[in-house]
Amino acid sequence: MDPYKFRPSSAYDSPYWTTNAGAPVYNNDSSLTVGPRGPILLEDYHLVEKLANFERERIPERVVHARGASAKGFFEVTHDVTHLTCADFLRAPGVQTPVIVRFSTVIHERGSPETIRDPRGFATKFYTREGNWDLVGNNFPIFFVRDPMKFPDVIHAFKPNPKTNIQEYWRVLDFLSYHPESLNTFMFLFDDVGVPQDYRHIDGSGVQAYTLINKAGKVNYVKFHWRPTCGVKNLLEEEAIRVGGTNHSHATKDLYDSIAAGNFPEWKFYFQIMDPEDEDKFDFDPLDTTKIWPEDILPLIPVGRLVLNRNIDNFFSENEQLAFNPAHVVPGIYYSNDKMLQGRVFAYSDTHRHRLGPNYLQLPVNAPKCAHHNNHHEGSMNFMHRDEEVNYFPSRFDPVRHAETYPINNHILHGRRDRLVIPKENNFKQPGVMYRSWAPDRQDRFIRRWVDVLADSRVTHEIRSIWISYLTQADRSLGQKVAARLNVRPTM
């Protein structure tokens, strides 16, 4: 066989999915998990290959969250939560921990305007005495898809058309028409909060469910929330055009100027707690990233406050080289079986090694501020001075030992290996409840934004009908109003 006869070309694509090595892929929608909920297995080569390729698509700009601004400050505990977690930095009210926070837009490039309709990243690095904890989230509490297998796809859909380099919503609506669970996040994206006034007036959320473990080993699911003390403020379309027309970096400037003037941004930090024994009481899966935990049933528990009182000293060193990772947890905080979180634990480390190099954690802004010790050494861009002779463990010439044990989530796992969908989807209840909670003028703006994107000439009648059916299942009047303005008959 002539090995050069079959050169890579999209003109000769196979009619079915394959790996880069050409092996057929029978399921490109679900990760390989233990049971329908997870955790994900490392042996899922297709997922690892898909994520690894995705994270190397752009050099050196971040694949997502490229446009951002950072600031430094402190986190202070205000309430006793030691019954919930043994995390040292939460050990008592009054304890302060230095932090750095990066705000960002998700989709567009580093020089894009900050008035764009897009989720906003809200990432916080806590420099604790037990290592760094990175709380990496958004201003929306949920995400469009629930399985990391689909993360590269959803970002590709939102990114500019690879042929024209123009962001086109027909691509988004086409892809997400296969994922009705995405409607819940569209309730935020096409709501007023889709264009924040600036970074000081946004909520923050860890998005995924984690677990908290106390000293006795009791495990609870937890979601993390930030609430700005100055409230949430947004820009309507006309305001966004006016602000963006004069300064495409308005949010970065507002953050910098506010801190420089002593008007320090502040957020309250909350836990939302669910006992794993109660998860079956809900009509949705609590580890489904597309679902909100209702605050009337699971109220916010106050924990502390975040104050940003220092601007960064250098944009490149403390913003561009700043790297967050959901895998960075501390004793008392651990992962859950949330599929998206499990995928992110791998993906973030991998993308940082690609973007910044294998020793990105030696960079001052990323390095822990506590004493640490391991045998990770050498490699590209290593600048740590080492004079020891022993770089293995254990050794009778090196007294280093294991750390003291601490509790982790030790839930026993059951299930067969398979690529499965979370059984309890319930995709339309929460969007309907949210829509009906809005004032009429807010509902009308939401409807107008849907009409604008569905009216695109590239949106086919089939795709338009699917989205009207989703909106109708969420709320009949919502679907009817969108259909009427588009002169389309709803199918439900």
Side-chain angles (χ1 to χ4, degrees):
M1 177 184 293
D2 180 2
Y4 299 103
K5 183 178 180 180
F6 301 97
R7 292 183 178 177
S9 170
S10 60
Y12 303 103
D13 280 348
S14 74
Y16 52 83
W17 284 108
T18 72
T19 66
N20 281 350
V25 174
Y26 73 86
N27 186 331
N28 190 42
D29 289 316
S30 302
S31 302
L32 186 63
T33 56
V34 179
R37 302 176 63 212
I40 288 172
L41 296 174
L42 187 59
E43 72 184 60
D44 189 350
Y45 168 73
H46 179 51
L47 172 64
V48 171
E49 179 187 53
K50 187 173 183 179
L51 290 173
N53 276 269
F54 171 70
E55 285 135 15
R56 288 162 172 79
E57 286 181 351
R58 284 166 177 80
I59 303 172
E61 186 176 279
R62 290 171 170 89
V63 177
V64 289
H65 299 276
R67 170 67 133 128
S70 302
K72 295 182 281 191
F74 66 89
F75 174 79
E76 181 180 20
V77 181
T78 56
H79 292 73
D80 184 2
V81 291
T82 53
H83 62 294
L84 295 171
T85 177
C86 60
D88 175 74
F89 78 101
L90 299 173
R91 62 189 177 275
V95 173
Q96 290 190 358
T97 300
V99 301
I100 187 168
V101 176
R102 187 175 188 268
F103 305 99
S104 57
T105 56
V106 175
I107 294 299
H108 291 273
E109 66 276 5
R110 204 158 48 192
S112 58
E114 293 178 316
T115 51
I116 209 151
R117 184 169 296 278
D118 201 14
R120 297 309 193 264
F122 192 131
T124 308
K125 187 181 294 290
F126 298 75
Y127 298 105
T128 86
R129 302 193 307 185
E130 293 184 313
N132 293 349
W133 177 43
D134 289 356
L135 178 53
V136 189
N138 291 330
N139 65 324
F140 299 169
I142 50 179
F143 194 62
F144 293 95
V145 292
R146 56 169 67 101
D147 194 300
M149 186 67 81
K150 307 312 298 178
F151 183 74
D153 297 295
V154 71
I155 298 302
H156 281 172
F158 271 98
K159 285 283 189 180
N161 184 322
K163 184 174 182 178
T164 65
N165 199 37
I166 299 171
Q167 186 186 31
E168 297 169 326
Y169 260 94
W170 66 264
R171 293 162 34 82
V172 176
L173 298 178
D174 173 35
F175 168 67
L176 289 177
S177 69
Y178 294 95
H179 296 279
E181 68 270 23
S182 66
L183 180 59
N184 215 14
T185 307
F186 272 119
M187 302 304 294
F188 291 88
L189 182 64
F190 285 172
D191 182 29
D192 295 346
V193 297
V195 185
Q197 175 177 293
D198 49 56
Y199 293 133
R200 293 184 297 123
H201 293 89
I202 64 172
D203 285 337
S205 170
V207 183
Q208 271 82 51
Y210 286 74
T211 55
L212 294 180
I213 308 98
N214 65 15
K215 290 182 179 179
K218 168 61 179 172
V219 175
N220 282 295
Y221 293 145
V222 61
K223 286 204 171 189
F224 303 110
H225 298 275
W226 299 108
R227 295 287 187 269
T229 58
C230 55
V232 173
K233 296 182 181 179
N234 309 302
L235 296 175
L236 300 184
E237 280 78 356
E238 298 78 10
E239 297 170 309
I241 292 171
R242 175 181 55 80
V243 171
T246 58
N247 185 356
H248 79 295
S249 300
H250 81 282
T252 296
K253 185 177 188 302
D254 173 84
L255 180 66
Y256 189 95
D257 290 349
S258 297
I259 294 174
N263 181 21
F264 302 140
E266 183 173 337
W267 286 261
K268 301 297 184 184
F269 186 52
Y270 298 91
F271 289 162
Q272 201 175 14
I273 298 295
M274 181 188 297
D275 191 321
E277 295 182 1
D278 295 334
E279 60 179 304
D280 292 333
K281 298 178 181 178
F282 295 85
D283 59 4
F284 62 92
D285 192 315
L287 303 188
D288 179 348
T289 301
T290 69
K291 297 296 180 288
I292 300 167
W293 289 5
E295 293 180 17
D296 57 337
I297 301 174
L298 302 169
L300 300 185
I301 299 171
V303 179
R305 67 187 187 114
L306 167 70
V307 179
L308 300 180
N309 58 5
R310 292 174 55 204
N311 280 309
I312 57 176
D313 301 311
N314 179 271
F315 181 80
F316 181 78
S317 297
E318 296 182 301
N319 186 81
E320 292 306 287
Q321 292 194 129
L322 178 57
F324 296 91
N325 191 341
H328 294 165
V329 293
V330 294
I333 302 172
Y334 200 68
Y335 321 120
S336 74
N337 292 344
D338 184 313
K339 291 187 185 182
M340 284 296 292
L341 176 58
Q342 294 269 322
R344 292 172 80 207
V345 166
F346 161 76
Y348 279 66
S349 300
D350 193 50
T351 195
H352 297 327
R353 285 189 287 266
H354 165 63
R355 191 174 69 87
L356 298 172
N359 290 301
Y360 75 95
L361 287 173
Q362 291 184 17
L363 294 167
V365 72
N366 298 323
K369 308 310 175 194
C370 60
H372 55 287
H373 182 107
N374 58 58
N375 290 327
H376 301 167
H377 71 128
E378 299 177 355
S380 175
M381 298 301 291
N382 186 299
F383 54 87
M384 179 178 289
H385 172 71
R386 290 181 177 271
D387 58 7
E388 67 269 19
E389 295 180 283
V390 174
N391 60 352
Y392 49 85
F393 177 87
S395 169
R396 292 178 177 82
F397 297 95
D398 186 349
V400 68
R401 56 178 175 79
H402 287 118
E404 298 299 320
T405 59
Y406 54 86
I408 64 170
N409 181 6
N410 58 3
H411 178 69
I412 297 174
L413 303 173
H414 299 279
R416 72 178 191 274
R417 287 188 296 195
D418 206 344
R419 299 185 182 276
L420 302 168
V421 175
I422 290 175
K424 206 182 325 184
E425 294 195 39
N426 200 356
N427 294 321
F428 303 110
K429 179 180 178 180
Q430 291 189 358
V433 171
M434 184 180 297
Y435 174 77
R436 290 186 290 273
S437 72
W438 292 340
D441 61 328
R442 189 170 177 180
Q443 290 180 346
D444 189 67
R445 290 192 295 271
F446 180 76
I447 291 169
R448 187 174 68 245
R449 292 164 189 144
W450 266 109
V451 171
D452 287 345
V453 297
L454 288 173
D456 189 315
S457 61
R458 293 294 299 272
V459 176
T460 65
H461 176 74
E462 180 187 12
I463 294 173
R464 192 176 293 122
S465 298
I466 288 171
W467 280 108
I468 290 174
S469 77
Y470 292 166
L471 294 167
T472 303
Q473 290 178 77
D475 183 272
R476 182 172 293 275
S477 68
L478 169 60
Q480 290 173 340
K481 289 175 181 178
V482 172
R485 296 195 191 186
L486 291 166
N487 197 26
V488 175
R489 179 176 296 179
T491 57
M492 293 189 62

